[in-house]
Amino acid sequence: MDYSLETGPLDTLLCDCLILGVYQDQQLSTSAKSLNESTQELIKKILARGDIAGKNGETVLINAVPSKTIDRILLVGLGENQPLTTKNFRKALLASINSLKKTTISTVVCNLSDCAVSGMDGAWKTRQIVEVFSDTVYQFTTCKTNKETDYNIKQLIITSTDNELTLSEQGLQQGKAIAEGINLTKYLADLPGNICTPSFLAEQALALGKTYSTLDVSVLEEADMEKLGMGALLSVSRGSRQPAKLITLNYQGGEKNTKPIVLIGKGLTFDAGGISLKQAPGMDEMKYDMCGGASVLGTLLAAAQMKLPLNIIGLVPTSENMPDGDANKPGDILTSMAGKTIEVLNTDAEGRLLLCDTLTYAERFNPDVVIDLATLTGACLVALGRVPSGLLGNNDELCDSLIAASITANDSLWRLPLWEEYQEQLKSNFADLANVGGKDAGTITAACFLSHFAENFNWAHLDIAGTAWRSGNNKGATGRPVPLLSQYLINRAYD
Ligand code: BES
Ligand code: MN
Ligand code: ZN
């Protein structure tokens, strides 16, 4: 899709459809008033019929317009005539895009940038419009013979004003970069496990490195990891015919000596559970167990495209978790790269085995902060559902900045406590740590496990088990938490 900005009067913009907001009690914005005048009072006439009151999310498509430039007008309700909440802004936006589904509309002008949103500037509005459009029209067709999708939108023109143009341009550039990052993340996540293997992910990362000169990508093979002593990570891939990889994406946009932000993403391209085999229903969704890794790739793409003045390291440990004659067995004891021994009480708690060695590996980059993202625990879904991602960490300042970014990006987080009392649950009679902490507080004990490998830096852990994809009829990857991470990076770069 092509995204652009226009500052001219609405009736000069050539399009198949113009998206125009209407406030509650049928009040028109200034630009809507002038369009009403140039279309022989069309909008007022439609409103007079009472088909739309202006409640948030209501829509009416006007299919015939007395105008040489505009073919259709989609009226969308905004709610009360005052600055919109960020949620209502997105709701109105989403409702408008949904009404363009299954139409032939190809060129769209979106004027919702015109309405005030409390606490947000023109850059935010433009960024959100791009992100929500791109997200809504995304459909995974790679593996279908018929590649037709529900939308025909090819061009989106967002309105701006001379005063706001600089901010709008900034928002457009960032929105496009983030949307592209989200698209890559969703695409990789939606690919099936037989196509998106650890080797495939590594190739995709290397291809990203070829596209962006600021991005250096390298891949460690199992033999390299053996030399590093990554006994926990390698124990998981031993049960699979696919070799594990450890992908490093090194983005150098900042000064040479500034400490990097390290992002680590869990990259299980399929998690069958290993010998502690998962149940059959819904097991297909464990192709999504690489969403953390895919989000690291998507976020680095966005950062490189935005040319952020930061140094960022992306690390993606990737493997399958399968049952096999050589797989981990319950009771096995592993030695991690950090030297700590781990008793595997459940082979399905494999994510933390990959992450712990990757956290240790992250030390060599002398990180400013380390943030890991992982579809780590089903318990996170029980605790928080599919609304926020879980957040745990050893540094309040880092957690607070992530929460602030999550609010701006509309990609929410909720912090859970990482109190030492929970560490009790990880005691093992035979090794330094058990890899599971029993049925209580599963998300917290998983983070407690990781905390033993994150003692030497500021660290936050995002459990994205409930947010990285949707189940049911609408099954598909969401691209979260790329929006929140991109916002965090933007804030780090410019605040
Ligand atoms: N990838 C899963 C977590 C998961 C399950 C995410 C369902 C989303 C939906 C992870 O590897 C796992 O299997 N975790 C176990 C941990 C348990 C054995 C302590 C789980 O959640 O059941
Ligand atoms: Mn598992
Ligand atoms: Zn897993």
Side-chain angles (χ1 to χ4, degrees), residues 266 268 271 273 278 286 289 321 346 348-352 375-379 381 435-438 442 463 465-466 469:
K266 173 178 173 183
L268 266 290
D271 177 13
K278 286 187 183 294
M286 282 299 116
D289 212 18
N321 185 26
N346 188 321
D348 199 8
E350 84 297 337
R352 60 198 79 183
T375 48
L376 204 62
T377 63
L381 265 148
N435 81 325
V436 294
D463 196 326
W469 76 91

Side-chain angles (χ1 to χ4, degrees), residues 170-382:
Q170 188 198 336
L172 182 72
Q173 189 243 4
Q174 292 174 341
K176 278 162 68 173
I178 297 169
E180 200 175 313
I182 293 171
N183 270 346
L184 173 68
T185 300
K186 292 203 282 192
Y187 164 73
L188 292 173
D190 283 332
L191 280 172
N194 61 327
I195 295 178
C196 185
T197 59
S199 306
F200 180 91
L201 261 190
E203 280 161 23
Q204 293 288 309
L206 288 165
L208 260 188
K210 293 227 166 69
T211 313
Y212 296 95
S213 62
T214 45
L215 202 56
D216 269 336
V217 180
S218 56
V219 178
L220 293 187
E221 304 295 332
E222 289 190 342
D224 306 314
M225 295 188 258
E226 197 85 57
K227 285 193 198 111
L228 289 164
M230 296 185 161
L233 191 160
L234 288 170
S235 77
V236 176
S237 70
R238 238 186 25 238
S240 157
R241 305 218 177 154
Q242 296 289 340
K245 309 272 171 182
L246 177 55
I247 307 166
T248 302
L249 304 106
N250 186 341
Y251 170 72
Q252 293 247 308
E255 307 263 330
K256 236 191 158 34
N257 295 322
T258 31
K259 289 177 162 195
I261 294 165
V262 176
L263 304 177
I264 301 177
K266 173 178 173 183
L268 266 290
T269 59
F270 192 75
D271 177 13
I275 297 300
S276 314
L277 192 64
K278 286 187 183 294
Q279 293 183 348
M283 211 211 270
D284 64 291
E285 294 187 13
M286 282 299 116
K287 73 174 183 181
Y288 286 121
D289 212 18
M290 39 59 79
C291 280
S295 294
V296 168
L297 264 58
T299 305
L300 273 117
L301 182 160
Q305 194 156 315
M306 290 188 278
K307 302 195 173 70
L308 295 180
L310 297 170
N311 294 332
I312 310 168
I313 303 283
L315 297 174
V316 181
T318 172
S319 168
E320 286 182 334
N321 185 26
M322 299 289 275
D324 176 88
D326 202 24
N328 273 332
K329 303 174 292 296
D332 283 2
I333 295 178
L334 319 168
T335 304
S336 63
M337 183 179 172
K340 291 182 173 134
T341 57
I342 302 162
E343 186 185 15
V344 180
L345 291 174
N346 188 321
T347 68
D348 199 8
E350 84 297 337
R352 60 198 79 183
L353 299 178
L354 273 84
L355 291 172
C356 71
D357 280 345
T358 312
L359 284 164
T360 304
Y361 186 69
E363 285 183 19
R364 67 187 51 208
F365 297 100
N366 189 22
D368 176 45
V369 298
V370 177
I371 304 164
D372 80 75
L373 354 158
T375 48
L376 204 62
T377 63
C380 195
L381 265 148
V382 176

Side-chain angles (χ1 to χ4, degrees), residues 17-69:
C17 185
L18 165 72
I19 300 175
L20 192 68
V22 179
Y23 289 104
Q24 202 147 309
D25 305 321
Q26 306 191 328
Q27 295 178 61
L28 298 183
S29 64
T30 324
S31 52
K33 273 183 200 145
S34 74
L35 186 73
N36 180 58
E37 281 157 26
S38 66
T39 54
Q40 302 158 23
E41 302 274 317
L42 172 77
I43 298 165
K44 286 242 164 102
K45 277 184 215 155
I46 299 284
L47 292 179
R49 288 184 191 156
D51 289 353
I52 179 166
K55 281 207 208 79
N56 188 275
E58 284 182 302
T59 55
V60 167
L61 183 66
I62 310 173
N63 237 308
V65 179
S67 156
K68 289 209 171 67
T69 49

Side-chain angles (χ1 to χ4, degrees), residues 382-405:
V382 176
L384 299 173
R386 294 178 184 274
V387 182
S389 305
L391 165 67
L392 300 104
N394 63 13
N395 181 275
D396 290 345
E397 194 189 320
L398 172 60
C399 290
D400 289 345
S401 355
L402 286 167
I403 289 171

